[in-house]
Amino acid sequence: MKYLCLLYYDTAKFAALSPAELEAIGPNCQPHDAALRATGKVLMQESLSLPAEWKVARPENGKSVISDGPYIDTTQRPGAFLIVEAADMDEAVQVASKHPAANYGEHLGWAVEVCECGECRVS
């Protein structure tokens, strides 16, 4: 099974960081990123653009209308994602829990959400 892991951060907390604090994030994440890669279960890992760059497509009067994003107004935003190949949800969570967002970024409001990917269930 494939699992989508959304990696969240708090935009207000991130914006309040000094340049030195921002610079320290990378080195503090490296051991966690290495442990994540060592699982061999990550099919894809990417960072997302800033929310100010997002666009939203939604239906309106039978047409797709495009507007500036993000879709939901909140301070917690997805900042990256993983696609994990795992036998079940427990294994996917175990893999995702190695990511820095599950270990290091408490002061940044980091979190990891794991969702099972599957067939469309709309009837």
Side-chain angles (χ1 to χ4, degrees):
M1 293 290 303
K2 289 182 179 66
Y3 294 84
L4 171 65
C5 306
L6 296 172
L7 311 166
Y8 291 93
Y9 71 103
D10 186 311
T11 56
K13 290 179 179 180
F14 216 82
L17 295 176
S18 70
E21 290 169 319
L22 281 170
E23 198 169 306
I25 291 173
N28 286 317
C29 291
Q30 289 173 354
H32 303 293
D33 283 332
L36 180 67
R37 283 190 301 276
T39 67
K41 299 286 185 175
V42 178
L43 301 178
M44 179 180 237
Q45 179 179 6
E46 295 291 336
S47 294
L48 300 175
S49 63
L50 295 173
E53 300 172 16
W54 298 0
K55 298 292 181 187
V56 177
R58 68 185 79 184
E60 190 175 299
N61 298 320
K63 295 183 192 177
S64 180
V65 175
I66 309 300
S67 61
D68 289 338
Y71 179 69
I72 297 173
D73 187 20
T74 178
T75 60
Q76 289 188 302
R77 299 275 179 223
F81 71 92
L82 307 172
I83 304 288
V84 172
E85 181 77 42
D88 54 30
M89 177 64 86
D90 289 339
E91 183 182 24
V93 169
Q94 185 265 338
V95 171
S97 71
K98 295 185 182 314
H99 191 276
N103 292 280
Y104 163 70
E106 183 177 349
H107 65 293
L108 302 172
W110 283 3
V112 179
E113 183 174 51
V114 181
C115 313
E116 182 179 327
C117 302
E119 294 181 32
C120 180
R121 295 183 174 101
V122 177
S123 47

